[in-house]
mmCIF file of all heavy atoms in Angstrom:
data_model
loop_
_atom_site.group_PDB
_atom_site.id
_atom_site.type_symbol
_atom_site.label_atom_id
_atom_site.label_comp_id
_atom_site.label_asym_id
_atom_site.label_seq_id
_atom_site.Cartn_x
_atom_site.Cartn_y
_atom_site.Cartn_z
ATOM 1 N N GLN A 1 0.915 -1.242 -0.041
ATOM 2 C CA GLN A 1 0.012 0.057 -0.070
ATOM 3 C C GLN A 1 0.823 1.276 0.058
ATOM 4 O O GLN A 1 0.574 2.231 -0.717
ATOM 5 C CB GLN A 1 -0.979 -0.075 1.196
ATOM 6 C CG GLN A 1 -1.901 1.229 1.266
ATOM 7 C CD GLN A 1 -2.797 1.209 2.528
ATOM 8 O OE1 GLN A 1 -2.761 0.223 3.210
ATOM 9 N NE2 GLN A 1 -3.696 2.137 2.628
ATOM 10 N N VAL A 2 1.874 1.263 0.836
ATOM 11 C CA VAL A 2 2.754 2.422 0.882
ATOM 12 C C VAL A 2 3.546 2.589 -0.360
ATOM 13 O O VAL A 2 3.802 3.668 -0.777
ATOM 14 C CB VAL A 2 3.679 2.408 2.204
ATOM 15 C CG1 VAL A 2 4.607 3.569 2.221
ATOM 16 C CG2 VAL A 2 2.931 2.281 3.388
ATOM 17 N N LEU A 3 4.032 1.416 -0.928
ATOM 18 C CA LEU A 3 4.786 1.565 -2.226
ATOM 19 C C LEU A 3 3.950 2.240 -3.333
ATOM 20 O O LEU A 3 4.399 3.171 -3.927
ATOM 21 C CB LEU A 3 5.187 0.203 -2.697
ATOM 22 C CG LEU A 3 5.864 0.161 -4.054
ATOM 23 C CD1 LEU A 3 7.111 0.975 -4.033
ATOM 24 C CD2 LEU A 3 6.148 -1.276 -4.318
ATOM 25 N N ARG A 4 2.609 1.855 -3.457
ATOM 26 C CA ARG A 4 1.765 2.454 -4.458
ATOM 27 C C ARG A 4 1.607 4.000 -4.073
ATOM 28 O O ARG A 4 1.597 4.810 -5.071
ATOM 29 C CB ARG A 4 0.353 1.917 -4.415
ATOM 30 C CG ARG A 4 0.338 0.516 -4.923
ATOM 31 C CD ARG A 4 -1.073 -0.065 -5.256
ATOM 32 N NE ARG A 4 -1.834 -0.102 -3.904
ATOM 33 C CZ ARG A 4 -1.853 -1.327 -3.223
ATOM 34 N NH1 ARG A 4 -1.126 -2.366 -3.668
ATOM 35 N NH2 ARG A 4 -2.533 -1.384 -2.136
ATOM 36 N N GLN A 5 1.559 4.423 -2.872
ATOM 37 C CA GLN A 5 1.393 5.872 -2.534
ATOM 38 C C GLN A 5 2.723 6.591 -2.922
ATOM 39 O O GLN A 5 2.674 7.678 -3.472
ATOM 40 C CB GLN A 5 1.192 6.024 -0.978
ATOM 41 C CG GLN A 5 -0.190 5.634 -0.475
ATOM 42 C CD GLN A 5 -0.304 5.761 0.969
ATOM 43 O OE1 GLN A 5 0.502 6.406 1.617
ATOM 44 N NE2 GLN A 5 -1.418 5.464 1.536
ATOM 45 N N ALA A 6 3.878 5.796 -2.614
ATOM 46 C CA ALA A 6 5.137 6.562 -3.002
ATOM 47 C C ALA A 6 5.224 6.657 -4.491
ATOM 48 O O ALA A 6 5.848 7.728 -4.967
ATOM 49 C CB ALA A 6 6.336 5.624 -2.508
ATOM 50 N N GLN A 7 4.767 5.740 -5.306
ATOM 51 C CA GLN A 7 4.840 5.898 -6.760
ATOM 52 C C GLN A 7 3.910 6.971 -7.196
ATOM 53 O O GLN A 7 4.282 7.766 -8.117
ATOM 54 C CB GLN A 7 4.497 4.560 -7.387
ATOM 55 C CG GLN A 7 5.506 3.451 -7.144
ATOM 56 C CD GLN A 7 5.027 2.045 -7.591
ATOM 57 O OE1 GLN A 7 3.807 1.742 -7.400
ATOM 58 N NE2 GLN A 7 5.939 1.219 -8.165
ATOM 59 N N GLU A 8 2.704 7.158 -6.635
ATOM 60 C CA GLU A 8 1.792 8.222 -6.925
ATOM 61 C C GLU A 8 2.412 9.522 -6.681
ATOM 62 O O GLU A 8 2.141 10.484 -7.416
ATOM 63 C CB GLU A 8 0.437 8.045 -6.258
ATOM 64 C CG GLU A 8 -0.328 6.803 -6.631
ATOM 65 C CD GLU A 8 -1.460 6.495 -5.791
ATOM 66 O OE1 GLU A 8 -1.598 7.224 -4.732
ATOM 67 O OE2 GLU A 8 -2.197 5.442 -5.990
ATOM 68 N N LEU A 9 3.182 9.631 -5.499
ATOM 69 C CA LEU A 9 3.745 10.986 -5.209
ATOM 70 C C LEU A 9 5.127 11.174 -5.922
ATOM 71 O O LEU A 9 5.688 12.283 -5.716
ATOM 72 C CB LEU A 9 3.987 10.952 -3.649
ATOM 73 C CG LEU A 9 2.745 11.022 -2.935
ATOM 74 C CD1 LEU A 9 3.069 10.765 -1.340
ATOM 75 C CD2 LEU A 9 2.006 12.236 -3.005
ATOM 76 N N GLY A 10 5.585 10.252 -6.697
ATOM 77 C CA GLY A 10 6.859 10.449 -7.329
ATOM 78 C C GLY A 10 8.059 10.153 -6.541
ATOM 79 O O GLY A 10 9.165 10.385 -7.080
ATOM 80 N N TYR A 11 7.878 9.562 -5.422
ATOM 81 C CA TYR A 11 9.084 9.159 -4.588
ATOM 82 C C TYR A 11 9.545 7.816 -5.008
ATOM 83 O O TYR A 11 10.803 7.529 -4.664
ATOM 84 C CB TYR A 11 8.650 9.108 -3.159
ATOM 85 C CG TYR A 11 8.362 10.355 -2.404
ATOM 86 C CD1 TYR A 11 7.285 10.505 -1.556
ATOM 87 C CD2 TYR A 11 9.082 11.425 -2.647
ATOM 88 C CE1 TYR A 11 6.996 11.701 -0.954
ATOM 89 C CE2 TYR A 11 8.817 12.680 -1.976
ATOM 90 C CZ TYR A 11 7.760 12.846 -1.143
ATOM 91 O OH TYR A 11 7.481 14.006 -0.560
ATOM 92 N N ALA A 12 8.833 7.059 -5.748
ATOM 93 C CA ALA A 12 9.170 5.694 -6.173
ATOM 94 C C ALA A 12 8.989 5.642 -7.750
ATOM 95 O O ALA A 12 7.977 6.150 -8.243
ATOM 96 C CB ALA A 12 8.576 4.612 -5.476
ATOM 97 N N GLU A 13 9.915 5.060 -8.449
ATOM 98 C CA GLU A 13 9.732 4.775 -9.829
ATOM 99 C C GLU A 13 8.679 3.776 -10.073
ATOM 100 O O GLU A 13 8.293 2.881 -9.180
ATOM 101 C CB GLU A 13 11.168 4.270 -10.452
ATOM 102 C CG GLU A 13 12.263 5.214 -10.220
ATOM 103 C CD GLU A 13 12.150 6.431 -10.994
ATOM 104 O OE1 GLU A 13 11.361 6.457 -11.988
ATOM 105 O OE2 GLU A 13 12.844 7.486 -10.712
ATOM 106 N N ALA A 14 8.247 3.685 -11.338
ATOM 107 C CA ALA A 14 7.241 2.625 -11.818
ATOM 108 C C ALA A 14 7.752 1.293 -11.556
ATOM 109 O O ALA A 14 7.207 0.383 -11.052
ATOM 110 C CB ALA A 14 6.900 2.764 -13.234
ATOM 111 N N ASP A 15 9.090 1.040 -11.779
ATOM 112 C CA ASP A 15 9.862 -0.043 -11.329
ATOM 113 C C ASP A 15 10.757 0.209 -10.281
ATOM 114 O O ASP A 15 11.846 0.855 -10.418
ATOM 115 C CB ASP A 15 10.708 -0.705 -12.551
ATOM 116 C CG ASP A 15 11.452 -1.958 -12.134
ATOM 117 O OD1 ASP A 15 11.373 -2.381 -11.033
ATOM 118 O OD2 ASP A 15 12.268 -2.437 -12.999
ATOM 119 N N PRO A 16 10.370 -0.032 -9.026
ATOM 120 C CA PRO A 16 11.086 0.462 -7.869
ATOM 121 C C PRO A 16 12.254 -0.388 -7.387
ATOM 122 O O PRO A 16 12.833 -0.163 -6.324
ATOM 123 C CB PRO A 16 10.008 0.478 -6.783
ATOM 124 C CG PRO A 16 9.155 -0.735 -7.091
ATOM 125 C CD PRO A 16 9.207 -0.881 -8.579
ATOM 126 N N THR A 17 12.642 -1.461 -8.194
ATOM 127 C CA THR A 17 13.615 -2.432 -7.798
ATOM 128 C C THR A 17 14.876 -1.795 -7.247
ATOM 129 O O THR A 17 15.450 -2.139 -6.274
ATOM 130 C CB THR A 17 13.854 -3.418 -8.957
ATOM 131 O OG1 THR A 17 12.700 -4.047 -9.319
ATOM 132 C CG2 THR A 17 14.917 -4.466 -8.531
ATOM 133 N N ASN A 18 15.440 -0.859 -8.009
ATOM 134 C CA ASN A 18 16.807 -0.212 -7.782
ATOM 135 C C ASN A 18 16.770 0.363 -6.260
ATOM 136 O O ASN A 18 17.719 0.289 -5.554
ATOM 137 C CB ASN A 18 17.033 0.857 -8.764
ATOM 138 C CG ASN A 18 18.585 1.087 -8.882
ATOM 139 O OD1 ASN A 18 19.352 0.139 -9.086
ATOM 140 N ND2 ASN A 18 18.954 2.418 -8.921
ATOM 141 N N ASP A 19 15.547 0.884 -5.949
ATOM 142 C CA ASP A 19 15.624 1.505 -4.489
ATOM 143 C C ASP A 19 15.264 0.464 -3.509
ATOM 144 O O ASP A 19 15.926 0.298 -2.482
ATOM 145 C CB ASP A 19 14.419 2.568 -4.482
ATOM 146 C CG ASP A 19 14.863 3.768 -5.380
ATOM 147 O OD1 ASP A 19 16.055 4.267 -5.209
ATOM 148 O OD2 ASP A 19 14.004 4.315 -6.149
ATOM 149 N N VAL A 20 14.053 -0.196 -3.715
ATOM 150 C CA VAL A 20 13.535 -1.105 -2.651
ATOM 151 C C VAL A 20 14.360 -2.348 -2.329
ATOM 152 O O VAL A 20 14.271 -2.888 -1.268
ATOM 153 C CB VAL A 20 12.023 -1.474 -2.831
ATOM 154 C CG1 VAL A 20 11.184 -0.164 -2.918
ATOM 155 C CG2 VAL A 20 11.867 -2.375 -4.093
ATOM 156 N N GLU A 21 15.217 -2.746 -3.290
ATOM 157 C CA GLU A 21 15.968 -3.907 -3.146
ATOM 158 C C GLU A 21 17.422 -3.619 -2.844
ATOM 159 O O GLU A 21 18.288 -4.343 -2.724
ATOM 160 C CB GLU A 21 16.019 -4.884 -4.319
ATOM 161 C CG GLU A 21 14.648 -5.424 -4.708
ATOM 162 C CD GLU A 21 14.070 -6.212 -3.613
ATOM 163 O OE1 GLU A 21 14.808 -6.708 -2.704
ATOM 164 O OE2 GLU A 21 12.800 -6.550 -3.647
ATOM 165 N N GLY A 22 17.766 -2.269 -2.540
ATOM 166 C CA GLY A 22 18.981 -1.787 -1.883
ATOM 167 C C GLY A 22 20.016 -1.538 -2.919
ATOM 168 O O GLY A 22 21.125 -1.189 -2.496
ATOM 169 N N TYR A 23 19.785 -1.547 -4.224
ATOM 170 C CA TYR A 23 20.889 -1.341 -5.170
ATOM 171 C C TYR A 23 21.410 0.044 -5.128
ATOM 172 O O TYR A 23 22.630 0.343 -5.230
ATOM 173 C CB TYR A 23 20.444 -1.730 -6.669
ATOM 174 C CG TYR A 23 20.189 -3.178 -6.836
ATOM 175 C CD1 TYR A 23 18.917 -3.701 -6.861
ATOM 176 C CD2 TYR A 23 21.308 -4.089 -7.130
ATOM 177 C CE1 TYR A 23 18.648 -5.097 -6.964
ATOM 178 C CE2 TYR A 23 21.110 -5.386 -7.262
ATOM 179 C CZ TYR A 23 19.784 -6.003 -7.289
ATOM 180 O OH TYR A 23 19.519 -7.225 -7.428
ATOM 181 N N ASP A 24 20.514 1.022 -5.045
ATOM 182 C CA ASP A 24 20.891 2.377 -5.002
ATOM 183 C C ASP A 24 21.757 2.638 -3.872
ATOM 184 O O ASP A 24 22.794 3.248 -3.904
ATOM 185 C CB ASP A 24 19.573 3.259 -4.910
ATOM 186 C CG ASP A 24 19.862 4.750 -4.804
ATOM 187 O OD1 ASP A 24 20.232 5.393 -5.843
ATOM 188 O OD2 ASP A 24 19.736 5.301 -3.686
ATOM 189 N N ALA A 25 21.363 2.179 -2.672
ATOM 190 C CA ALA A 25 22.152 2.384 -1.441
ATOM 191 C C ALA A 25 23.522 1.671 -1.599
ATOM 192 O O ALA A 25 24.461 2.106 -0.986
ATOM 193 C CB ALA A 25 21.373 1.935 -0.214
ATOM 194 N N GLN A 26 23.495 0.514 -2.123
ATOM 195 C CA GLN A 26 24.736 -0.198 -2.377
ATOM 196 C C GLN A 26 25.809 0.584 -3.235
ATOM 197 O O GLN A 26 26.840 0.632 -2.830
ATOM 198 C CB GLN A 26 24.444 -1.586 -3.085
ATOM 199 C CG GLN A 26 25.598 -2.564 -3.188
ATOM 200 C CD GLN A 26 25.223 -3.806 -4.048
ATOM 201 O OE1 GLN A 26 24.447 -3.711 -4.922
ATOM 202 N NE2 GLN A 26 25.848 -4.924 -3.686
ATOM 203 N N PHE A 27 25.328 1.111 -4.411
ATOM 204 C CA PHE A 27 26.139 2.115 -5.117
ATOM 205 C C PHE A 27 26.727 3.215 -4.320
ATOM 206 O O PHE A 27 27.912 3.433 -4.284
ATOM 207 C CB PHE A 27 25.402 2.655 -6.202
ATOM 208 C CG PHE A 27 24.830 1.672 -7.233
ATOM 209 C CD1 PHE A 27 23.629 1.862 -7.905
ATOM 210 C CD2 PHE A 27 25.479 0.519 -7.546
ATOM 211 C CE1 PHE A 27 23.138 1.054 -8.838
ATOM 212 C CE2 PHE A 27 24.951 -0.492 -8.494
ATOM 213 C CZ PHE A 27 23.721 -0.125 -9.050
ATOM 214 N N LYS A 28 25.837 3.842 -3.476
ATOM 215 C CA LYS A 28 26.266 4.940 -2.700
ATOM 216 C C LYS A 28 27.249 4.542 -1.620
ATOM 217 O O LYS A 28 28.243 5.249 -1.339
ATOM 218 C CB LYS A 28 25.085 5.688 -2.057
ATOM 219 C CG LYS A 28 24.191 6.317 -3.113
ATOM 220 C CD LYS A 28 22.876 6.809 -2.580
ATOM 221 C CE LYS A 28 21.941 7.503 -3.550
ATOM 222 N NZ LYS A 28 20.742 7.774 -3.027
ATOM 223 N N LEU A 29 27.029 3.479 -0.980
ATOM 224 C CA LEU A 29 27.902 2.951 0.102
ATOM 225 C C LEU A 29 29.250 2.654 -0.431
ATOM 226 O O LEU A 29 30.313 2.823 0.263
ATOM 227 C CB LEU A 29 27.357 1.748 0.828
ATOM 228 C CG LEU A 29 28.168 1.227 1.923
ATOM 229 C CD1 LEU A 29 28.353 2.196 3.047
ATOM 230 C CD2 LEU A 29 27.538 0.048 2.532
ATOM 231 N N ALA A 30 29.339 2.040 -1.671
ATOM 232 C CA ALA A 30 30.638 1.869 -2.218
ATOM 233 C C ALA A 30 31.463 3.059 -2.322
ATOM 234 O O ALA A 30 32.660 3.058 -2.052
ATOM 235 C CB ALA A 30 30.446 1.205 -3.710
ATOM 236 N N ILE A 31 30.888 4.139 -2.755
ATOM 237 C CA ILE A 31 31.575 5.516 -2.730
ATOM 238 C C ILE A 31 31.887 5.962 -1.295
ATOM 239 O O ILE A 31 33.082 6.360 -1.143
ATOM 240 C CB ILE A 31 30.762 6.517 -3.519
ATOM 241 C CG1 ILE A 31 30.542 6.021 -4.950
ATOM 242 C CG2 ILE A 31 31.363 7.947 -3.445
ATOM 243 C CD1 ILE A 31 29.458 6.842 -5.684
ATOM 244 N N LEU A 32 30.901 6.018 -0.536
ATOM 245 C CA LEU A 32 31.118 6.589 0.786
ATOM 246 C C LEU A 32 32.097 5.785 1.640
ATOM 247 O O LEU A 32 32.991 6.409 2.333
ATOM 248 C CB LEU A 32 29.740 6.688 1.461
ATOM 249 C CG LEU A 32 29.712 7.399 2.904
ATOM 250 C CD1 LEU A 32 30.167 8.759 2.769
ATOM 251 C CD2 LEU A 32 28.337 7.362 3.404
ATOM 252 N N ALA A 33 31.975 4.518 1.603
ATOM 253 C CA ALA A 33 32.896 3.736 2.472
ATOM 254 C C ALA A 33 34.338 3.912 1.968
ATOM 255 O O ALA A 33 35.299 3.868 2.744
ATOM 256 C CB ALA A 33 32.481 2.318 2.473
ATOM 257 N N SER A 34 34.519 3.917 0.577
ATOM 258 C CA SER A 34 35.882 4.115 0.059
ATOM 259 C C SER A 34 36.527 5.381 0.574
ATOM 260 O O SER A 34 37.702 5.408 0.867
ATOM 261 C CB SER A 34 35.795 4.090 -1.441
ATOM 262 O OG SER A 34 35.339 2.854 -1.982
ATOM 263 N N LEU A 35 35.755 6.449 0.609
ATOM 264 C CA LEU A 35 36.275 7.692 1.054
ATOM 265 C C LEU A 35 36.524 7.702 2.541
ATOM 266 O O LEU A 35 37.467 8.295 3.072
ATOM 267 C CB LEU A 35 35.182 8.748 0.676
ATOM 268 C CG LEU A 35 35.132 9.091 -0.806
ATOM 269 C CD1 LEU A 35 33.930 9.955 -1.078
ATOM 270 C CD2 LEU A 35 36.427 9.761 -1.433
ATOM 271 N N ALA A 36 35.553 7.082 3.297
ATOM 272 C CA ALA A 36 35.685 7.155 4.840
ATOM 273 C C ALA A 36 36.857 6.399 5.239
ATOM 274 O O ALA A 36 37.550 6.794 6.220
ATOM 275 C CB ALA A 36 34.402 6.667 5.424
ATOM 276 N N PHE A 37 37.151 5.197 4.656
ATOM 277 C CA PHE A 37 38.181 4.396 5.151
ATOM 278 C C PHE A 37 39.498 4.264 4.257
ATOM 279 O O PHE A 37 40.425 3.612 4.536
ATOM 280 C CB PHE A 37 37.651 2.898 5.263
ATOM 281 C CG PHE A 37 36.397 2.858 6.156
ATOM 282 C CD1 PHE A 37 35.156 2.653 5.666
ATOM 283 C CD2 PHE A 37 36.552 3.015 7.549
ATOM 284 C CE1 PHE A 37 34.004 2.725 6.538
ATOM 285 C CE2 PHE A 37 35.467 3.014 8.413
ATOM 286 C CZ PHE A 37 34.201 2.827 7.898
ATOM 287 N N GLY A 38 39.451 5.130 3.148
ATOM 288 C CA GLY A 38 40.659 5.272 2.356
ATOM 289 C C GLY A 38 41.029 4.030 1.720
ATOM 290 O O GLY A 38 42.275 3.792 1.323
#
């Protein structure tokens, strides 16, 4: 129910896989952790 609301509001894509399955955060963590720990 909340996913549908997020899609209607533009917070989630029609295909939300990249966000809800953690891929987006995985990409970002690869960058952030590299910088934080050198």
